[in-house]
Amino acid sequence: GFLHYMVDSCEFNSSKLNDIEYIYSHYYNKLEYIRFSSSVGKFVGYTEVGIKNAERLNNGPEVINRRAQKERYCFHNVGIFTESALTKS
């Protein structure tokens, strides 16, 4: 069968918001076809379908929502993760 899934991730080396990168990717059959990266600030397509969707998403409200996710999703969870990890080390 075919498998479509999305992944939210936060890459960081510190708990400072400007050091965190938020990445939101769409995959189809293990192939990433579109990605939003907070360091780029927009969607980027990697396949023909991904490029078309990136153009559409970058011209709509979705890109604004994804830009806010760095603070809403990453900063909140990074704080929880670092606090939890530091108390156990």
Side-chain angles (χ1 to χ4, degrees):
F2 300 107
L3 184 63
H4 178 262
Y5 58 99
M6 288 105 29
V7 176
D8 284 286
S9 64
C10 304
E11 297 184 9
F12 60 97
N13 288 325
S14 75
S15 60
K16 296 177 185 171
L17 186 59
N18 59 347
D19 293 338
I20 300 170
E21 181 180 18
Y22 168 71
I23 299 171
Y24 175 69
S25 299
H26 283 244
Y27 292 85
Y28 184 73
N29 281 352
K30 300 181 185 178
L31 176 67
E32 183 179 26
Y33 68 93
I34 191 169
R35 170 189 288 193
F36 175 86
S37 169
S38 64
S39 62
V40 177
K42 65 179 185 175
F43 287 90
V44 176
Y46 299 111
T47 65
E48 186 178 337
V49 171
I51 292 169
K52 288 179 183 178
N53 280 301
E55 290 175 11
R56 179 181 55 81
L57 293 170
N58 287 329
N59 291 317
E62 181 66 23
V63 74
I64 296 166
N65 181 33
R66 288 293 155 198
R67 288 178 184 153
Q69 285 295 88
K70 178 179 176 179
E71 186 170 346
R72 192 168 36 232
Y73 179 75
C74 290
F75 194 59
H76 172 73
N77 289 317
V78 166
I80 292 170
F81 175 79
T82 55
E83 182 181 312
S84 174
L86 291 176
T87 59
K88 293 183 171 103
S89 61

